[in-house]
Amino acid sequence: MEKFGIHLLALSHVYSVPQLKRRCTEGLGQRLTVENVVDVLQLARLCDAPDLYLKCMKLVYGNIKTVENTEGWKFMSYHDPWLELEILQFIDEKELRKKTTRRYREEQRLYLELSEAMECLEHIFTEGCTTVGPHDMEITTMNMKKEPCTKFAICRGLQLLIRHFAGCKDRVNGGCSRCKRMWQLLRLHSSICDKPDSCRVPLCRQSKLRSQQVKKKKREDTRWKLLVKKVMAAKRKRAEDDATDTIRDHGIRSFRL
C-alpha cells in the first residue's frame, strides 16, 4: 500500500474489484500528506472514490496556504483548472457554512439572553431583587432573599437600566440609547406576556393595547388600499368600455346602405 497504493486504486477501479478498491481508499486516506494530497485528490476524482475525495478536500481546506506551494498544486493549476475551481468552490462553501453556523449560534445566544432578561424583568417587578422592586413593596434587608439571585448578572444590569430609565431626562425626546433599550425590553415583554391584566411589569397592558391598535390600523390600511385599487381598476374598465361604444356608434353612423 505504501509503494503501490495509487496504482492499485487505479487498477481496482478499471477492472471493477470493489474489495480491493475499498482497501486502497482506506489505505490512501490514512497516508494523506500535504505533499501528495493533490495527486490523490485527482485520482479519487477520476476513480469515483467519494470518501477519499472528501478527505482530500478537507485536508486541502485546512492547509490551503501550504498546499498552494507544492508541486502537485502547481501542476494541477496549469493542467487541470477545473479541479482548482472545484477546490476553491469547496473552500467558499465551507467558509459560508462556517459563517452561517457562527451567525446562528450568536442569534441563539442572543435569544437565550433575551429570554433570561424577560424572566428577570418579571422577577424584579413581582418579587424584587437587590435595589429594585414593585412600587407597593419596600425593598429592605428583611424581605430580601438570603440566597443570591440565580441570574444575578442579568438582574443587576436590568436594575441599573431601570434606575437610569426612571430618572433620565432625555428619554422623552428619544435621545438616550439606554432608554431606547429599556423601551424595547418592555415592548418585548408585552408581546410575549399572556396575562397583561394581572402583570406587574410597568406599561405591559398599555403596550399590548397599543400594539393591537397598530395591527388593526395596518389591517385597515391594507383593506383601504385594496378597495382603492379595485375602484381604480373598475374606473379604467368603464373608460375602456365607453371608448369601445363610441367607436362602434361612429362606425354605424358612417355606414351607408
Side-chain angles (χ1 to χ4, degrees):
M1 190 61 65
E2 187 70 29
K3 294 182 179 180
F4 308 109
I6 292 178
H7 308 83
L8 288 173
L9 177 59
L11 290 171
S12 63
H13 175 70
V14 172
Y15 291 101
S16 300
V17 186
Q19 187 175 359
L20 178 60
K21 184 177 180 179
R22 184 170 59 253
R23 292 284 299 275
C24 293
T25 301
E26 295 174 355
L28 290 174
Q30 295 173 359
R31 292 170 174 80
L32 281 178
T33 62
V34 174
E35 295 296 330
N36 69 358
V37 64
V38 176
D39 298 331
V40 177
L41 178 61
Q42 289 178 306
L43 181 64
R45 182 164 165 257
L46 292 172
C47 294
D48 190 22
D51 295 340
L52 184 60
Y53 177 86
L54 185 59
K55 285 184 179 180
C56 293
M57 280 291 194
K58 289 181 177 179
L59 182 60
V60 172
Y61 170 73
N63 304 273
I64 183 62
K65 296 297 183 182
T66 308
V67 173
E68 286 179 340
N69 297 324
T70 61
E71 293 296 328
W73 180 276
K74 295 176 183 178
F75 182 85
M76 179 265 299
S77 61
Y78 183 77
H79 292 88
D80 195 356
W82 287 108
L83 179 57
E84 183 180 8
L85 181 61
E86 286 183 19
I87 295 173
L88 295 178
Q89 287 177 345
F90 180 84
I91 293 174
D92 289 340
E93 290 176 0
K94 289 285 288 186
E95 289 294 329
L96 181 61
R97 194 176 298 113
K98 185 185 295 185
K99 290 180 181 179
T100 304
T101 303
R102 188 184 303 116
R103 185 169 59 250
Y104 174 77
R105 290 177 179 175
E106 290 176 356
E107 290 176 355
Q108 294 301 315
R109 180 180 58 81
L110 177 61
Y111 296 151
L112 180 60
E113 290 179 355
L114 287 174
S115 176
E116 293 177 348
M118 294 299 101
E119 294 179 2
C120 289
L121 200 64
E122 294 181 7
H123 159 68
I124 289 172
F125 287 105
T126 303
E127 303 172 359
C129 186
T130 312
T131 58
V132 179
H135 64 89
D136 56 350
M137 183 179 72
E138 183 181 357
I139 303 297
T140 62
T141 56
M142 297 299 295
N143 56 24
M144 288 298 298
K145 292 184 176 180
K146 295 182 180 180
E147 299 180 358
C149 181
T150 56
K151 300 180 180 65
F152 177 75
I154 300 177
C155 268
R156 181 61 178 169
L158 277 175
Q159 289 178 75
L160 293 175
L161 191 61
I162 292 169
R163 291 172 69 88
H164 168 81
F165 182 77
C168 182
K169 297 179 180 179
D170 297 333
R171 71 177 183 188
V172 178
N173 300 326
C176 181
S177 58
R178 298 180 67 185
C179 291
K180 288 181 180 178
R181 194 178 302 118
M182 189 65 210
W183 279 115
Q184 290 173 351
L185 291 174
L186 291 174
R187 183 179 178 183
L188 179 61
H189 166 78
S190 66
S191 299
I192 63 178
C193 182
D194 55 351
K195 298 179 180 178
D197 296 331
S198 60
C199 182
R200 307 197 67 177
V201 177
L203 306 176
C204 177
R205 187 170 181 273
Q206 293 86 337
S207 298
K208 188 171 285 294
L209 291 175
R210 183 179 179 183
S211 63
Q212 291 175 355
Q213 291 175 357
V214 170
K215 290 181 180 178
K216 183 178 179 181
K217 185 178 180 181
K218 287 183 178 180
R219 286 197 300 268
E220 291 177 352
D221 291 342
T222 304
R223 293 175 182 175
W224 181 261
K225 290 179 181 179
L226 182 60
L227 177 62
V228 172
K229 184 178 179 180
K230 289 184 177 182
V231 170
M232 292 297 294
K235 185 177 180 181
R236 285 195 300 268
K237 188 175 185 303
R238 183 179 179 183
E240 292 173 359
D241 293 342
D242 291 342
T244 304
D245 294 339
T246 302
I247 294 173
R248 188 182 297 109
D249 293 342
H250 178 73
I252 291 173
R253 287 195 298 269
S254 62
F255 182 76
R256 294 182 179 179
L257 293 175

XYZ file of all heavy atoms in Angstrom, residues 153-199:
368
model
N -26.137 38.494 37.396
C -25.511 39.421 36.450
C -26.563 40.105 35.576
O -26.517 41.327 35.370
C -24.503 38.672 35.582
N -27.522 39.329 35.071
C -28.572 39.908 34.229
C -29.482 40.805 35.061
O -29.863 41.903 34.639
C -29.382 38.796 33.548
C -28.459 37.948 32.668
C -30.515 39.372 32.719
C -29.147 36.778 32.018
N -29.848 40.341 36.271
C -30.709 41.138 37.147
C -30.037 42.461 37.514
O -30.681 43.511 37.537
C -31.039 40.355 38.411
S -32.567 39.397 38.304
N -28.744 42.390 37.795
C -28.023 43.608 38.170
C -28.012 44.605 37.016
O -28.254 45.807 37.211
C -26.596 43.244 38.565
C -25.736 44.418 39.002
C -26.309 45.102 40.212
N -25.463 46.184 40.665
C -25.829 47.089 41.573
N -27.028 47.010 42.145
N -25.004 48.043 41.931
N -27.754 44.124 35.801
C -27.783 45.019 34.646
C -29.148 45.621 34.400
O -29.267 46.815 34.087
N -30.209 44.812 34.551
C -31.568 45.334 34.371
C -31.920 46.365 35.437
O -32.570 47.378 35.135
C -32.568 44.177 34.411
C -32.768 43.395 33.109
C -33.687 42.217 33.345
C -33.332 44.292 32.016
N -31.497 46.129 36.657
C -31.801 47.086 37.723
C -31.110 48.428 37.472
O -31.717 49.485 37.664
C -31.358 46.515 39.068
C -32.230 45.354 39.541
C -31.736 44.768 40.848
O -31.927 45.358 41.903
N -31.108 43.606 40.773
N -29.873 48.391 37.020
C -29.182 49.642 36.688
C -29.881 50.349 35.529
O -30.017 51.578 35.531
C -27.721 49.340 36.321
C -26.840 48.818 37.454
C -25.458 48.455 36.923
C -26.725 49.854 38.573
N -30.357 49.572 34.549
C -31.059 50.156 33.414
C -32.394 50.764 33.850
O -32.785 51.846 33.388
C -31.283 49.083 32.346
C -31.782 49.545 30.973
C -30.774 50.487 30.332
C -32.017 48.350 30.066
N -33.092 50.073 34.765
C -34.380 50.583 35.263
C -34.180 51.867 36.059
O -34.947 52.831 35.913
C -35.080 49.509 36.114
C -35.513 48.330 35.226
C -36.287 50.086 36.831
C -35.962 47.119 35.999
N -33.154 51.903 36.900
C -32.890 53.103 37.703
C -32.538 54.287 36.795
O -32.963 55.415 37.033
C -31.765 52.825 38.689
C -32.170 51.837 39.795
C -30.968 51.448 40.633
N -30.511 52.588 41.416
C -30.976 52.902 42.633
N -31.920 52.138 43.198
N -30.517 53.942 43.285
N -31.778 54.014 35.749
C -31.467 55.083 34.797
C -32.729 55.535 34.059
O -32.947 56.735 33.867
C -30.425 54.586 33.788
C -30.249 55.498 32.619
N -29.464 56.640 32.653
C -30.784 55.452 31.354
C -29.514 57.249 31.488
N -30.312 56.554 30.676
N -33.548 54.577 33.664
C -34.783 54.878 32.923
C -35.733 55.734 33.758
O -36.418 56.617 33.235
C -35.456 53.565 32.521
C -36.710 53.731 31.721
C -36.661 54.067 30.378
C -37.957 53.543 32.305
C -37.819 54.221 29.635
C -39.119 53.694 31.572
C -39.046 54.035 30.228
N -35.772 55.468 35.067
C -36.688 56.199 35.949
C -36.274 57.659 36.119
O -37.133 58.530 36.318
C -36.758 55.511 37.308
N -34.968 57.941 36.040
C -34.525 59.318 36.303
C -33.956 60.044 35.107
O -33.474 61.174 35.264
N -33.999 59.435 33.936
C -33.396 60.066 32.759
C -34.299 61.184 32.243
O -35.518 61.021 32.132
C -33.152 59.023 31.667
S -32.344 59.705 30.198
N -33.701 62.314 31.876
C -34.454 63.455 31.364
C -34.524 63.463 29.839
O -35.318 64.217 29.274
C -33.818 64.757 31.845
C -33.833 64.914 33.358
C -33.177 66.218 33.778
C -33.187 66.361 35.307
N -32.520 67.630 35.726
N -33.684 62.663 29.193
C -33.648 62.664 27.727
C -34.539 61.603 27.100
O -34.622 61.523 25.875
C -32.211 62.432 27.231
C -31.280 63.543 27.665
O -31.779 64.662 27.856
O -30.068 63.282 27.814
N -35.188 60.777 27.907
C -35.969 59.675 27.335
C -37.207 60.183 26.597
O -37.673 59.553 25.656
C -36.385 58.701 28.431
C -37.437 59.242 29.366
C -37.865 58.230 30.383
N -38.923 58.746 31.237
C -39.390 58.137 32.299
N -38.883 56.984 32.652
N -40.359 58.672 33.023
N -37.759 61.339 27.034
C -38.952 61.870 26.385
C -38.636 62.290 24.955
O -39.411 62.066 24.026
C -39.527 63.049 27.189
C -40.744 63.626 26.488
C -39.876 62.590 28.598
N -37.487 62.882 24.764
C -37.095 63.349 23.438
C -36.507 62.237 22.580
O -36.212 62.467 21.404
C -36.071 64.477 23.575
C -36.627 65.668 24.341
O -37.811 65.965 24.228
N -35.786 66.325 25.115
N -36.328 61.061 23.155
C -35.794 59.933 22.393
C -34.315 60.034 22.111
O -33.825 59.443 21.144
N -33.579 60.781 22.951
C -32.154 60.962 22.695
C -31.254 60.071 23.507
O -30.033 60.211 23.444
N -31.807 59.147 24.287
C -30.999 58.293 25.156
C -31.040 56.863 24.636
O -32.120 56.267 24.521
C -31.517 58.358 26.591
S -30.555 57.343 27.744
N -29.884 56.303 24.327
C -29.828 54.938 23.792
C -30.195 53.907 24.858
O -30.817 52.880 24.553
C -28.431 54.651 23.248
O -27.449 54.811 24.253
N -29.828 54.164 26.107
C -30.158 53.219 27.184
C -31.665 53.175 27.428
O -32.230 52.098 27.661
C -29.420 53.607 28.460
C -27.908 53.560 28.344
C -27.240 53.953 29.636
N -27.492 52.978 30.686
C -27.093 53.141 31.957
N -26.448 54.248 32.318
N -27.360 52.216 32.851
N -32.312 54.319 27.337
C -33.769 54.346 27.495
C -34.463 53.648 26.329
O -35.476 52.964 26.507
C -34.262 55.784 27.612
S -33.780 56.600 29.162
N -33.917 53.797 25.129
C -34.478 53.089 23.985
C -34.388 51.583 24.194
O -35.318 50.831 23.861
C -33.728 53.484 22.709
C -34.029 54.885 22.225
C -33.260 55.178 20.948
C -33.551 56.589 20.443
N -32.771 56.897 19.209
N -33.269 51.142 24.761
C -33.118 49.720 25.040
C -34.142 49.250 26.066
O -34.706 48.154 25.944
C -31.697 49.444 25.551
C -31.317 47.978 25.558
C -29.890 47.766 26.014
N -28.955 48.486 25.178
C -28.153 49.452 25.600
N -28.191 49.828 26.873
N -27.332 50.058 24.783
N -34.415 50.082 27.056
C -35.412 49.728 28.057
C -36.799 49.673 27.439
O -37.593 48.763 27.737
C -35.379 50.745 29.201
C -36.227 50.332 30.402
S -35.572 48.849 31.197
C -37.073 48.132 31.852
N -37.123 50.627 26.559
C -38.411 50.604 25.867
C -38.557 49.317 25.056
O -39.638 48.713 25.019
C -38.537 51.820 24.947
C -38.949 53.092 25.614
C -38.220 54.232 25.746
C -40.200 53.356 26.271
N -38.925 55.199 26.428
C -40.153 54.687 26.757
C -41.356 52.615 26.483
C -41.201 55.273 27.439
C -42.410 53.202 27.162
C -42.330 54.511 27.634
N -37.491 48.917 24.401
C -37.537 47.700 23.591
C -37.781 46.471 24.461
O -38.542 45.569 24.092
C -36.231 47.551 22.811
C -36.062 48.579 21.708
C -34.684 48.518 21.074
O -33.791 47.823 21.557
N -34.513 49.248 19.979
N -37.144 46.407 25.631
C -37.354 45.280 26.544
C -38.794 45.248 27.051
O -39.413 44.176 27.128
C -36.376 45.363 27.716
C -34.906 45.114 27.386
C -34.042 45.363 28.616
C -34.703 43.682 26.883
N -39.329 46.408 27.398
C -40.719 46.465 27.866
C -41.686 46.068 26.753
O -42.673 45.355 26.990
C -41.041 47.867 28.367
C -40.340 48.310 29.653
C -40.627 49.770 29.955
C -40.740 47.435 30.837
N -41.400 46.499 25.529
C -42.267 46.134 24.403
C -42.187 44.639 24.114
O -43.201 43.992 23.829
C -41.846 46.930 23.171
C -42.719 46.688 21.960
C -42.256 47.515 20.784
N -43.065 47.251 19.614
C -42.847 47.789 18.417
N -41.824 48.624 18.253
N -43.627 47.485 17.393
N -40.972 44.083 24.211
C -40.819 42.642 24.000
C -41.565 41.852 25.061
O -42.222 40.841 24.762
C -39.334 42.274 24.009
C -38.990 40.802 23.835
C -39.487 40.275 22.500
C -37.487 40.573 23.965
N -41.503 42.304 26.298
C -42.240 41.618 27.364
C -43.736 41.650 27.108
O -44.422 40.632 27.247
C -41.928 42.263 28.708
C -42.883 41.856 29.786
N -42.809 40.646 30.435
C -43.974 42.494 30.299
C -43.803 40.549 31.303
N -44.509 41.651 31.254
N -44.247 42.817 26.718
C -45.688 42.915 26.477
C -46.126 42.043 25.307
O -47.268 41.578 25.269
C -46.072 44.370 26.205
O -45.497 44.816 24.988
N -45.211 41.801 24.346
C -45.563 40.980 23.185
C -45.694 39.509 23.554
O -46.476 38.781 22.934
C -44.508 41.150 22.087
O -44.439 42.498 21.660
N -44.911 39.050 24.563
C -44.942 37.634 24.916
C -45.744 37.363 26.189
O -45.989 36.198 26.519
C -43.511 37.088 25.097
C -42.802 37.793 26.256
C -42.707 37.244 23.821
C -41.417 37.269 26.529
N -46.167 38.412 26.874
C -46.918 38.218 28.118
C -48.344 37.766 27.797
O -49.026 38.363 26.953
C -46.934 39.522 28.916
S -47.793 39.372 30.504
N -48.787 36.712 28.468
C -50.137 36.186 28.244
C -51.110 36.568 29.364
O -52.264 36.137 29.347
C -50.094 34.660 28.115
C -49.431 33.995 29.306
O -48.853 34.717 30.152
O -49.480 32.749 29.395
N -50.646 37.369 30.333
C -51.523 37.817 31.420
C -51.330 39.314 31.637
O -50.838 39.758 32.684
C -51.220 37.057 32.713
C -51.459 35.549 32.612
C -51.109 34.856 33.911
C -51.336 33.345 33.807
N -50.957 32.657 35.069
N -51.683 40.132 30.653
C -51.421 41.578 30.790
C -52.251 42.245 31.887
O -51.823 43.250 32.458
C -51.781 42.121 29.408
C -52.768 41.128 28.850
C -52.343 39.788 29.389
N -53.433 41.697 32.179
C -54.284 42.334 33.178
C -53.719 42.202 34.589
O -53.901 43.098 35.424
C -55.694 41.731 33.131
C -56.382 42.020 31.804
O -56.074 43.069 31.200
O -57.214 41.191 31.365
N -53.056 41.085 34.870
C -52.502 40.862 36.214
C -50.991 41.039 36.266
O -50.391 40.857 37.323
C -52.864 39.452 36.689
O -52.341 38.464 35.804
N -50.374 41.385 35.150
C -48.918 41.521 35.117
C -48.494 42.784 35.862
O -49.126 43.836 35.744
C -48.426 41.561 33.660
S -46.638 41.672 33.518
